[in-house]
């Protein structure tokens, strides 16, 4: 997603896990290969020396691999049935060439890697990623289970939660976690997977410094509330 100088994440190929875009932390990693449709988000850096995969939920109970009930106040993607509303202060309503609309913080710049679209700050420490599912996983939750199998190999990986946001098998799911970057800082990541009204599965991701996570939660809420695909946005109905 970024150059090695910016030390963020880029797409890589060839891991054979299915259809999500896979992000590799590019903290000096030189073997990332762009253009992939592999499992999603935050592939570990090659400098990771420990596999810190956790088999427990945050309350210490054993994770059976089944969807867990969300106990957090998690916003969930829900397409608006009302007319278009203005973007919040500090955000820009953006019609993306990839076929969707979203609210982006002012000053964040667009780029692409493979099938993923990114918006990020100039220093690369904060970002939004949007990606459409292109793989065999049949539900959003299954896609995020595959995701965690990969991202849990990051140094200092800590799962905050992996939840299904509803009672139906096809309902949205969310993975939130932190890990330690090669510069010693802690990155906080949240990704929500869901199926849009045209039955295409999407993933929306926000990542940023853990110490500034409150501001990134706002970015994530605004992303979920504003995201819509072309033909299914409130402005398309009139």
């Amino acid at each position: 997603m970024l150059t090695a100088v910016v030390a963020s994440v880029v797409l890589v190929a060839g891991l054979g896990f299915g259809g999500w875009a896979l992000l590799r932390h590019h903290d000096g990693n030189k073997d990332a290969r762009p253009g992939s449709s592999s499992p999603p988000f935050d592939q570990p850096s090659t400098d990771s020396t420990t596999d810190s995969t956790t088999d427990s939920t945050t309350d210490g109970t054993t994770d059976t691999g089944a969807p867990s009930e969300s106990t957090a106040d998690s916003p969930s993607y829900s397409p608006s049935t009302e007319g278009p509303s203005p973007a919040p202060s500090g955000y820009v309503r953006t019609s993306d060439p990839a076929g969707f609309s979203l609210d982006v913080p002012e000053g964040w710049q667009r780029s692409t890697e493979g099938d993923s679209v990114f918006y990020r700050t100039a220093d690369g420490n904060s970002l939004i990623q949007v990606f459409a599912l292109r793989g065999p996983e049949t539900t959003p939750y299954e896609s995020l289970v595959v995701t965690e199998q990969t991202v849990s190999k990051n140094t200092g990986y800590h799962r905050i939660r992996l939840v299904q946001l509803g009672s139906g098998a096809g309902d949205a799911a969310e993975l939130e976690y932190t890990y330690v970057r090669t510069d010693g800082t802690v990155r906080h990541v949240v990704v929500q997977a869901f199926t849009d009204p045209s039955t295409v599965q999407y993933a929306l991701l926000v990542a940023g410094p853990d110490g500034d996570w409150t501001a990134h939660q706002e970015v994530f809420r605004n992303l979920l509330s504003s995201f819509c695909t072309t033909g299914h946005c409130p402005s398309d109905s009139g």
Side-chain angles (χ1 to χ4, degrees):
M1 169 169 94
L2 289 167
T3 64
V5 175
V6 181
S8 187
V9 285
V10 294
L11 294 163
V12 297
L15 296 187
F17 279 101
W20 291 100
L22 177 63
L23 296 183
R24 166 162 288 186
H25 301 310
H26 206 47
D27 299 339
N29 190 350
K30 298 185 182 257
D31 65 351
R33 294 161 292 179
S36 167
S37 289
S38 294
F41 315 120
D42 294 325
Q43 167 73 359
S45 303
T46 54
D47 67 340
S48 296
T49 57
T50 59
D51 184 344
S52 55
T53 303
T54 177
D55 294 324
S56 298
T57 58
T58 54
D59 63 0
T61 58
T62 301
D63 179 10
T64 63
S68 55
E69 182 178 352
S70 174
T71 58
D73 184 16
S74 302
S76 179
Y77 166 76
S78 179
S80 175
T81 58
E82 302 177 355
S85 59
S89 176
Y91 289 77
V92 178
R93 179 66 44 80
T94 304
S95 295
D96 194 276
F100 53 82
S101 177
L102 73 170
D103 289 345
V104 177
E106 292 177 350
W108 290 33
Q109 299 300 308
R110 182 184 190 271
S111 65
T112 60
E113 286 285 350
D115 294 331
S116 283
V117 174
F118 301 94
Y119 288 89
R120 56 182 174 262
T121 54
D123 61 9
N125 288 327
S126 301
L127 61 97
I128 289 170
Q129 182 194 11
V130 179
F131 189 78
L133 177 65
R134 311 288 184 194
E137 296 83 15
T138 58
T139 70
Y141 183 82
E142 289 174 352
S143 297
L144 294 188
V145 168
V146 172
T147 296
E148 190 181 33
Q149 292 171 359
T150 300
V151 302
S152 62
K153 295 180 175 65
N154 282 300
T155 299
Y157 175 83
H158 171 68
R159 181 211 287 181
I160 296 172
R161 58 202 176 91
L162 172 58
V163 294
Q164 184 167 299
L165 304 175
S167 58
D171 287 341
E174 192 165 293
L175 172 64
E176 183 176 0
Y177 60 94
T178 59
Y179 71 94
V180 180
R181 303 176 72 185
T182 56
D183 63 4
T185 61
V186 177
R187 167 163 276 177
H188 200 136
V189 182
V190 61
V191 53
Q192 188 169 130
F194 59 88
T195 304
D196 87 328
S198 62
T199 71
V200 175
Q201 284 192 43
Y202 278 88
L204 303 180
L205 178 146
V206 169
D210 186 55
D212 191 32
W213 190 239
T214 299
H216 291 79
Q217 287 178 309
E218 178 185 340
V219 173
F220 190 55
R221 286 192 295 266
N222 287 330
L223 174 62
L224 290 173
S225 64
S226 65
F227 182 85
C228 58
T229 52
T230 301
H232 300 282
C233 296
S235 58
D236 298 331
S237 62

